[in-house]
Amino acid sequence: MTSDAELLARFARSRSEDAFAELVRRHVNLVYSAALRQVGGDPHLAQDVAQTAFSDLARKAPALARRTNLSGWLYTSARFAAAKIVRAEHRRRHREDRFMREPTDAAPEADWAQL
């Protein structure tokens, strides 16, 4: 069985899709379950977090190829991505709530007559 470090090094060198797919297969359950806990059980947000973590892995593969413990890095990456997504989701909901609570000006009767 090829080690994570060897697979990551192969991906970093030649952009081998097979090597990266094997890394994803090995670690997707860990990353997704960690993300699911961090986002409060929302499966869609957890999928976004997992995708972000693996995208970061692909982007940073050359620097990470020397790591012996890829699971720890992926877990930490998922935690950071989840925190970022939860903050963004909270801000979005806050903006939507504030918008929905703003009073709307009713059009004067003259405007209705013109319509």
Side-chain angles (χ1 to χ4, degrees):
M1 184 163 126
T2 310
S3 73
D4 288 347
E6 291 171 10
L7 289 170
L8 195 55
R10 186 168 13 137
F11 174 74
R13 262 192 329 273
S14 63
R15 296 312 236 190
S16 168
E17 289 183 21
D18 292 335
F20 194 76
E22 179 61 27
L23 286 170
V24 171
R25 272 191 290 277
R26 288 182 185 182
H27 299 284
V28 71
N29 290 336
L30 167 80
V31 172
Y32 180 76
S33 63
L36 194 60
R37 285 189 303 274
Q38 295 292 319
V39 298
D42 185 323
H44 299 291
L45 289 180
Q47 290 172 354
D48 291 344
V49 169
Q51 183 175 4
T52 300
F54 285 111
S55 295
D56 289 346
L57 176 63
R59 192 176 70 253
K60 296 178 181 183
L64 296 172
R66 296 176 305 278
R67 280 193 172 266
T68 57
N69 186 2
L70 187 58
S71 298
W73 186 89
L74 283 167
Y75 180 81
T76 302
S77 179
R79 280 189 44 233
F80 287 140
K84 185 177 180 180
I85 286 176
V86 166
R87 279 192 309 269
E89 185 70 13
H90 178 66
R91 286 192 299 265
R92 182 189 64 78
R93 285 182 183 160
H94 179 70
R95 283 191 306 270
E96 287 178 358
D97 287 345
R98 191 178 58 204
F99 177 76
M100 294 303 291
R101 294 182 199 289
E102 286 182 3
T104 58
D105 294 330
E109 291 299 322
D111 289 343
W112 283 111
Q114 290 177 350
L115 289 175

